[in-house]
Amino acid sequence: MLESYVTPILMSYVNRYIKNLKPSDLQLSLWGGDVVLSKLELKLDVLEQELKLPFTFLSGHIHELRIHVPWTKLGSEPVVITINTMECILKLKDGIQDDHESCGSNSTNRSTTENTKSLVKPRRTIQQAAPTDPDLPPGYVQSLIRRVVNNVNIVINNLILKYVEDDIVLSVNITSAECYTVGELWDRAFMDISATDLVLRKVINFSDCTVCLDKRNASGKIEFYQDPLLYKCSFRTRLHFTYDNLNSKMPSVIKIHTLVESLKLSITDQQLPMFIRIMQLGIALYYGEIGNFKDGETEDPTCHNKDMLGNITGADDETRIDMQYPAQYKGQELYSQQEDEQPQGWVSWAWSFVPAIVSYDDGEEDFLGNDPTSTTHQQKAQILRDPIVSIGFYCTKATVTFKLTEMQAESSYYSPQKVKSKEVLCWEQEGTTVEALMMGEPFFDCQIGFVGCRALCLKGIMGVKDFEENMNRSETEACFFICGENLSMKGLTYLTNSLFDYRSPENNGTRAEFILDATHHKETYTEIAGMQRFGAFYMDYLYTMENISGKGSTNQDFSSGKSEDMGTVQEKSTKSLVIGPLDFRLDSSAVHRILKMIVCALEHEYEPYSGLKPDIKDENETILNPEEVASLEEYIPTRHTSVTLLKCTCTIFMAEFNLLDHLLPVIMGEKNSSNFLNTTNFQSLRPLPSIQILVDKINLEHSVPMYAEQLVHVVSSLTQPSDNLLHYCYAHCYLKIFGFQAGLTSLDCRGSYCLPVPIIPSFSTALYGKLLKLPTCWTKRSQIAITEGIFELPNLTIQATRAQTLLLQAIYQSWSHIGNVSSLSVNEALMNEVFQTIGVKSKNPLPTLEGSIQNVELKYCSTSLVKCASGTMGSIKICAKAPGDSGKEKLIPLLQGPSDTKDLHSSKWLNESRRPESLLAPDLIAFTVQVPQYMDYCHNSVHRRNG
C-alpha cells in the first residue's frame, strides 16, 4: 500500500516540529485522507537548531493544522497542508547579550551530537515501523515519493511573527501565504523533474503583509499604537531549482526572486530610532559582531566553538575546530575547514535550509528500502558541493513617508490619548533591485541599484505651513532631490536576468551561467554597466575566498598554535558604489525636514550592539621567524570601498525661515529636543537668490585591513617591520574632486533659474589621509605615525563684484541669523545688478575683484610625541578687473608673488605680466610647524627617572 510509504514521511515532519503528538492517532487520521489538529505547540528548540538564527523563540503555536492527502489521485493531485493562525515570538539569544551566560545555557546552546540525535531518532523509529510491499517496485515508489514531495502545497492563513527587544516590538502579520508548484509559464501545475527537464519551479504568493513597529513600556504593554510601517502589501516569489540528475538530493542551482509592484512604507518620528536599531542589528549580525559570526570573524571562541559547527545533520562532536588564534596572524585561515563540515557564516546559512522545501534527506531515502552504503562516490561529491544560490528582490515603485506625531486627547477625561501623525517628507523610488549570488562560503556577491528617485516636502514643519494645501505650491517646488531617470523611459532593465524577465535563460528553457570568478566579475560588472542598467544608484559588494596553493590546508590543526600553510587562502572584499547625476536643492523647507529627521533618530537610549574593544596588547606574544614573516607579507586581506558621484548639482537657497536654533543644539548634544511650534506665517520669497555648486565627479576610496586586530598585534611585535606590513596596519582614505565650480543664480516665480553668474571657476583637488589601527599597541614605537594627511590644490580662483559679494553675504546671514528672515529680502536693485538681463549692457559696469592661488600642498602628521604640519604655496595673485576704453578690461594688480621686481620703477611694470620666468621657480611660501604633545607625560618621566 502507498499509505505505508507516504504516511511515515508526513508523520515524521509533523512530529518533528510539533509537541505531544500521538503517532497512532495521526496515522489513523492520515489514512482517512484528512487530518485536523488544533492548538498545537511548536518544538522551539528544533526550530532554533535548524534555522540557525541568532534568535530564540519565546513562544510558538498553531491554532489549527489541516493535512489533505488525495490517496486515490496521489500521482496527479498535490498534498495540501493548511495552517490556520500561526504565531511565533522571538528575541535575541541571551548569549548575544551575555556571552558567559550563553556558554552555560542548555536551552539555546546544545552540543551538536545531542541535537543531531534528537532530530534523527524519531524519524528512524518511524522508518523501522514502515512495512515493505513486495508488489511495489522500489523505483516506482521512489519516483512517486519524489512527485508527492515536489508538489506539496502549503497554505498559511494569518501568520503572525513578533520580535521583541528592549522597548521595541516588531510584528509581521501575513493574511495569507501559499506555496505551490508551477509549470514553465509559472502557472499552477502538477510537475516533476525528468531526465529531459531537471528543473522544479515553485511560486509563493503573499497577500496583505502588514508590518508594525511599536514601543512598549516597562511592563511590556504598548500604550500607543503607531501607524504600520507597511500596510497590506502583496508580493509574489518565484523559486527555480536546477538539478544535475534525477538522483540529486541537493539542487545545483537555486534561484529565489521576489517582485513587489508597490511598496508603501510609513515611518513616524518615534519609529525612526527603532527602525535604525533593527537595521543596525542586521549589520551587526552580518559582520559577526554579535551572535553567529560571519566568515571566520570570532569573539570569544570558548563560548561559540560548540555551535559554530552544529549544523543540520552529519556534524560530529569530535570534528570541531579550535578557533583560538595561533601565534601568527592567520585571519586568512579561519575559513580552512574540513570538507565534511558545514561552515556557519551567514552565507552558508542562507542556503542551508532552502533545499528542504523541495528535497528529502537521508531519512526519507531509508524509507524506500535503499542501502545507504550503495551511494556512489560521485553522488557523495554532489552532496558535499555547494549549490549556486541566487536571491533577488525587485520593486517597481517604493514610497517612504516620514511623519511627525503628536498626542491628541479625547473629549472624555477617562478616554486614552491617541497619536495623530502628519506627513512632512516623502521619498519615492522606482526600479529597485537587490540581488545576492553565493556559492557556499568562497563566493558572495550583492548588487543593489535603482533607476530613479526623488524626495518631496509635504505639509508643514515645526509650525511653518510651507506646503499645506492652501499654499498652492507646485510639485516642482516641493521636490528637493532628484536622481536618475524615469522608469517609463528606462524600461524594465532592473528585472534583467531575473525570473520575472521573459528574456532570462530560465524562462527560455536554457540553463543560466553565473560569473563566480573575481577577475571576470570586475570586468563584467563595471560602473558603466551598472549605470546603464539602473541610472541612479548602483552598488556591488563582492567577497571571495580563494585557495591558491591547492594543498590540503583544510586539515590544518588550529589548536596547535602553528600555521604551516599560511597564505594559502586569499580573501578579498570590495564595495563599489556609484551615484548617477543628481540635483540637490537645499532650501529652508528641505533643510529643516532633514535636520528634524536627524534629531528624531538621535532620540533613543539604546546601547550599541558591539562596543569598542579596549586596545590591549597580548602579553603572551610570539615572535615570528623570518619564514613566517615572509609568508605573511605575500598577501594580507583588506576591505576596499569605492564611492563615485557623477554630475552632482547642489543649490543652496537663501533661507525663507530659520529655526535651526531648535535643531542644531540637539544634534550637537547640547540640549534635549522639545516640541517647538512656530507661530509666524510662511511667505515665499521670489525671486529667491541661491548659490549653485556643480561637480563633474567625486571619488572616495577607503581601505582597511580585514583582520586589523590580529595583524596589528603581530606586526607591532616585530623588531623591524617592513614598509609593506606597516602600510596594511593603517586605514587609508583618498578623496578626489574633479570639475568643482560655483556661481550665483536666482529662482523666479515661474520656477525657472536665471543664467548662473560664475564665482569660482572649475578646479580640481585631492585629499589623502591614513589612520593607524589600534594605536595603543605601538606605544613603544614613538616614531610610528598615528595619523597622516596630504592636501593638494593645483589652482583655485575666486572672483566677484561688490554686488555679488553683498548677495553672498545676504545668503549667509539668512542662515546664520536665527528667526524669521523674510525681512531680509534682497532689494530689486541689487538683484538686477547681479543678474543682468541677457543682451542688455550695463551703463556703469563695476570692477571685479579676483584672487587666485596655485600649487598648494599641505601635509599633516602626528605621532605619540609630536604633531607636525607643513605646506607650500607656489604663487598667489589678487587683482582688480576694471572696465576700460573700447570694451577692454584693465588689470590692476593688488598682490602677486613670486614676481620679478627689477623694473618696478618703470611705468610699464603695471601693464606687463609678471609670471615666474620658469616653472621650476621656488615656492612663494613654505612653512613647517611642530608642536610637542603630552608635555605632562614627559615631565613625569623625568621625575620618575630622577627619583
Side-chain angles (χ1 to χ4, degrees):
M1 297 295 290
L2 291 176
E3 291 87 342
S4 60
Y5 293 95
V6 177
T7 300
I9 296 178
L10 296 176
M11 291 173 58
S12 65
Y13 276 104
V14 174
N15 190 54
R16 188 176 188 175
Y17 300 107
I18 297 177
K19 292 182 180 179
N20 304 325
L21 280 183
K22 295 181 179 180
S24 58
D25 297 341
L26 182 61
Q27 185 173 359
L28 292 176
S29 300
L30 279 174
W31 286 357
D34 290 282
V35 176
V36 180
L37 303 174
S38 301
K39 297 181 180 180
L40 304 176
E41 295 291 332
L42 296 175
K43 293 182 178 179
L44 305 181
D45 54 345
V46 176
L47 291 175
E48 293 178 16
Q49 171 66 22
E50 294 206 356
L51 293 179
K52 290 290 181 288
L53 291 172
F55 307 103
T56 182
F57 286 85
L58 297 179
S59 65
H61 62 269
I62 295 175
H63 178 71
E64 184 182 70
L65 173 65
R66 292 177 176 269
I67 303 177
H68 172 70
V69 184
W71 294 113
T72 59
K73 299 179 181 180
L74 201 55
S76 58
E77 291 187 5
V79 174
V80 181
I81 300 176
T82 304
I83 299 175
N84 294 320
T85 307
M86 177 179 176
E87 182 176 1
C88 296
I89 302 178
L90 303 89
K91 74 177 185 70
L92 273 178
K93 285 187 177 180
D94 295 335
I96 293 176
Q97 301 170 356
D98 187 355
D99 291 339
H100 298 285
E101 183 180 347
S102 173
C103 295
S105 174
N106 293 325
S107 60
T108 58
N109 291 314
R110 298 172 175 84
S111 67
T112 306
T113 304
E114 291 176 353
N115 279 294
T116 304
K117 290 180 180 180
S118 64
L119 295 180
V120 175
K121 183 177 179 180
R123 306 184 64 183
R124 298 301 180 189
T125 304
I126 299 175
Q127 179 243 339
Q128 293 173 1
T132 59
D133 194 335
D135 297 334
L136 296 176
Y140 169 77
V141 174
Q142 183 176 0
S143 175
L144 181 61
I145 293 297
R146 184 178 63 242
R147 288 172 62 87
V148 170
V149 174
N150 288 342
N151 288 275
V152 171
N153 283 13
I154 301 177
V155 180
I156 302 179
N157 297 316
N158 195 20
L159 173 62
I160 303 172
L161 300 176
K162 290 185 180 181
Y163 169 75
V164 293
E165 177 194 350
D166 295 332
D167 60 349
I168 299 175
V169 178
L170 175 66
S171 60
V172 180
N173 191 337
I174 300 177
T175 302
S176 176
E178 182 179 8
C179 176
Y180 54 89
T181 306
V182 294
E184 295 182 359
L185 300 179
W186 301 98
D187 296 325
R188 189 188 297 265
F190 194 90
M191 303 295 296
D192 192 15
I193 60 174
S194 61
T196 57
D197 187 17
L198 297 170
V199 171
L200 184 66
R201 301 174 181 87
K202 284 182 174 288
V203 166
I204 306 178
N205 290 328
F206 298 89
S207 300
D208 295 344
C209 176
T210 300
V211 180
C212 298
L213 186 60
D214 298 293
K215 180 179 291 188
R216 59 179 183 173
N217 55 23
S219 60
K221 295 182 180 180
I222 300 175
E223 296 180 352
F224 312 108
Y225 286 94
Q226 304 288 326
D227 293 345
L229 282 179
L230 183 66
Y231 183 67
K232 290 189 175 182
C233 176
S234 299
F235 51 94
R236 61 185 186 273
T237 300
R238 291 181 177 179
L239 300 90
H240 190 280
F241 303 91
T242 304
Y243 296 83
D244 288 333
N245 53 62
L246 291 175
N247 296 323
S248 300
K249 292 184 292 184
M250 173 74 74
S252 59
V253 179
I254 303 173
K255 267 195 169 186
I256 305 174
H257 291 176
T258 301
L259 175 63
V260 182
E261 296 290 346
S262 178
L263 187 67
K264 297 181 180 180
L265 296 175
S266 170
I267 302 179
T268 65
D269 51 354
Q270 297 184 25
Q271 291 174 332
L272 185 59
M274 297 185 288
F275 182 79
I276 296 176
R277 178 70 169 177
I278 298 297
M279 299 293 291
Q280 292 175 345
L281 172 63
I283 296 174
L285 290 174
Y286 176 78
Y287 282 105
E289 296 173 354
I290 59 175
N292 289 341
F293 299 95
K294 173 193 174 291
D295 299 339
E297 300 171 2
T298 62
E299 277 187 359
D300 187 1
T302 59
C303 288
H304 298 284
N305 60 353
K306 290 188 177 183
D307 46 30
M308 284 289 287
L309 299 176
N311 217 302
I312 296 178
T313 55
D316 194 271
D317 217 21
E318 299 176 356
T319 58
R320 299 193 190 107
I321 294 178
D322 187 357
M323 300 302 289
Q324 293 284 355
Y325 296 116
Q328 194 175 156
Y329 166 69
K330 61 182 189 319
Q332 307 160 11
E333 303 158 358
L334 296 178
Y335 294 91
S336 303
Q337 299 182 352
Q338 298 185 7
E339 294 181 358
D340 59 342
E341 293 167 347
Q342 301 291 337
Q344 275 305 294
W346 284 99
V347 174
S348 60
W349 171 86
W351 62 263
S352 62
F353 70 93
V354 173
I357 300 176
V358 297
S359 63
Y360 47 92
D361 56 14
D362 297 335
E364 292 151 7
E365 183 176 332
D366 293 338
F367 290 137
L368 307 180
N370 294 342
D371 185 4
T373 60
S374 64
T375 307
T376 62
H377 177 75
Q378 180 181 2
Q379 291 173 330
K380 288 183 179 180
Q382 292 173 351
I383 295 174
L384 294 175
R385 188 173 60 187
D386 295 332
I388 299 174
V389 181
S390 172
I391 300 175
F393 173 82
Y394 308 90
C395 181
T396 304
K397 185 174 182 179
T399 303
V400 182
T401 304
F402 179 69
K403 302 178 180 179
L404 294 179
T405 58
E406 58 182 10
M407 305 305 299
Q408 187 177 22
E410 291 294 321
S411 57
S412 173
Y413 176 80
Y414 297 99
S415 299
Q417 289 183 324
K418 291 185 177 181
V419 177
K420 181 182 178 181
S421 60
K422 181 177 66 174
E423 302 173 349
V424 296
L425 189 65
C426 178
W427 175 275
E428 296 179 353
Q429 192 167 296
E430 291 185 321
T432 305
T433 296
V434 180
E435 294 177 334
L437 178 65
M438 63 193 81
M439 188 180 68
E441 297 245 348
F443 184 91
F444 176 82
D445 176 66
C446 178
Q447 297 186 20
I448 301 175
F450 47 86
V451 174
C453 63
R454 65 173 188 166
L456 299 93
C457 298
L458 303 175
K459 304 292 184 180
I461 182 72
M462 300 177 67
V464 180
K465 300 179 180 180
D466 49 352
F467 283 97
E468 294 288 350
E469 296 179 357
N470 57 0
M471 295 299 296
N472 297 323
R473 302 185 68 178
S474 64
E475 187 176 291
T476 304
E477 292 180 287
C479 181
F480 65 89
F481 181 85
I482 301 177
C483 183
E485 307 175 40
N486 194 302
L487 189 61
S488 59
M489 301 292 293
K490 189 73 172 179
L492 301 178
T493 55
Y494 72 102
L495 293 176
T496 301
N497 287 332
S498 71
L499 296 179
F500 300 94
D501 181 13
Y502 68 93
R503 301 165 298 180
S504 66
E506 291 84 359
N507 290 332
N508 289 274
T510 59
R511 186 160 181 165
E513 296 182 358
F514 301 93
I515 300 176
L516 302 174
D517 177 70
T519 304
H520 190 192
H521 178 92
K522 294 179 181 179
E523 294 175 354
T524 304
Y525 299 103
T526 60
E527 296 180 354
I528 298 177
M531 284 291 100
Q532 289 177 348
R533 181 182 178 186
F534 298 105
F537 175 81
Y538 171 70
M539 188 203 79
D540 181 25
Y541 168 63
L542 176 65
Y543 171 84
T544 58
M545 180 183 65
E546 181 181 2
N547 191 331
I548 61 174
S549 66
K551 298 178 182 180
S553 60
T554 53
N555 295 325
Q556 184 177 346
D557 183 11
F558 293 149
S559 60
S560 62
K562 298 181 180 180
S563 180
E564 302 295 340
D565 297 326
M566 179 117 146
T568 58
V569 175
Q570 291 188 357
E571 297 177 71
K572 298 178 182 178
S573 174
T574 58
K575 288 187 285 290
S576 299
L577 292 87
V578 187
I579 302 174
L582 61 89
D583 186 4
F584 196 12
R585 299 175 28 160
L586 288 175
D587 55 9
S588 295
S589 301
V591 170
H592 284 78
R593 282 167 170 81
I594 294 173
L595 294 180
K596 183 62 177 178
M597 287 187 61
I598 297 175
V599 169
C600 295
L602 296 176
E603 290 182 340
H604 66 83
E605 298 179 355
Y606 300 125
E607 295 292 333
Y609 284 109
S610 57
L612 295 177
K613 299 180 180 179
D615 300 339
I616 302 175
K617 190 171 182 179
D618 187 8
E619 298 180 357
N620 300 323
E621 58 186 22
T622 303
I623 306 300
L624 306 185
N625 57 47
E627 291 78 10
E628 293 172 332
V629 175
S631 176
L632 178 61
E633 288 202 65
E634 289 181 2
Y635 185 82
I636 297 176
T638 59
R639 302 186 187 275
H640 184 267
T641 304
S642 174
V643 182
T644 303
L645 276 74
L646 303 174
K647 295 292 182 181
C648 175
T649 302
C650 180
T651 307
I652 304 174
F653 292 89
M654 173 181 282
E656 298 176 274
F657 61 91
N658 190 342
L659 305 174
L660 299 183
D661 58 331
H662 299 278
L663 298 175
L664 292 180
V666 180
I667 297 176
M668 302 302 295
E670 298 176 2
K671 70 173 186 178
N672 297 327
S673 176
S674 60
N675 295 327
F676 170 80
L677 294 179
N678 185 41
T679 57
T680 58
N681 295 326
F682 172 78
Q683 294 181 352
S684 60
L685 302 178
R686 294 295 183 273
L688 185 63
S690 61
I691 303 173
Q692 191 173 73
I693 300 173
L694 289 83
V695 183
D696 290 339
K697 183 179 180 180
I698 300 177
N699 181 252
L700 175 65
E701 295 186 2
H702 179 266
S703 62
V704 65
M706 190 175 294
Y707 303 97
E709 183 177 353
Q710 297 91 313
L711 176 64
V712 169
H713 282 147
V714 170
V715 176
S716 61
S717 64
L718 298 178
T719 305
Q720 292 182 343
S722 65
D723 293 339
N724 181 51
L725 291 178
L726 288 176
H727 174 82
Y728 285 99
C729 292
Y730 287 85
H732 301 266
C733 184
Y734 302 83
L735 175 63
K736 300 177 183 178
I737 301 176
F738 302 94
F740 182 98
Q741 55 184 315
L744 283 170
T745 184
S746 177
L747 180 67
D748 58 20
C749 299
R750 299 185 301 271
S752 58
Y753 293 92
C754 66
L755 191 65
V757 177
I759 299 296
I760 302 177
S762 178
F763 74 95
S764 300
T765 183
L767 176 66
Y768 164 75
K770 68 178 184 179
L771 176 65
L772 184 66
K773 306 296 291 183
L774 279 74
T776 54
C777 294
W778 306 86
T779 53
K780 297 181 181 179
R781 298 170 182 259
S782 59
Q783 76 281 5
I784 298 294
I786 298 177
T787 58
E788 185 175 329
I790 301 176
F791 172 74
E792 294 181 354
L793 181 64
N795 60 78
L796 173 64
T797 300
I798 302 177
Q799 56 188 17
T801 64
R802 179 178 179 276
Q804 295 168 2
T805 305
L806 292 176
L807 186 57
L808 288 172
Q809 183 182 7
I811 295 176
Y812 168 76
Q813 289 179 348
S814 69
W815 288 104
S816 60
H817 291 179
I818 306 302
N820 195 307
V821 295
S822 59
S823 59
L824 297 176
S825 58
V826 184
N827 59 68
E828 185 177 355
L830 181 61
M831 295 290 292
N832 293 334
E833 190 173 346
V834 174
F835 306 104
Q836 297 180 3
T837 307
I838 300 176
V840 179
K841 293 185 179 180
S842 176
K843 295 181 180 179
N844 300 314
L846 297 177
T848 301
L849 186 65
E850 179 181 293
S852 63
I853 55 177
Q854 293 182 351
N855 299 330
V856 177
E857 182 175 338
L858 303 176
K859 297 181 180 180
Y860 172 80
C861 179
S862 68
T863 66
S864 59
L865 298 179
V866 67
K867 294 181 180 180
C868 178
S870 63
T872 59
M873 179 187 296
S875 65
I876 184 173
K877 179 180 179 181
I878 301 177
C879 63
K881 293 181 179 180
D885 300 336
S886 65
K888 294 184 179 180
E889 289 184 341
K890 289 184 179 180
L891 188 65
I892 304 175
L894 303 177
L895 176 64
Q896 180 169 331
S899 178
D900 186 3
T901 58
K902 62 183 179 180
D903 296 328
L904 181 62
H905 61 280
S906 62
S907 59
K908 66 177 183 179
W909 186 82
L910 294 176
N911 299 324
E912 291 181 353
S913 175
R914 284 157 300 282
R915 296 179 180 177
E917 297 180 357
S918 172
L919 295 176
L920 301 179
D923 296 323
L924 174 66
I925 299 175
F927 69 91
T928 300
V929 179
Q930 290 186 353
V931 179
Q933 51 183 345
Y934 304 121
M935 292 299 297
D936 54 345
Y937 174 78
C938 298
H939 291 307
N940 292 335
S941 299
V942 173
H943 291 313
R944 283 196 297 266
R945 290 179 181 178
N946 294 336

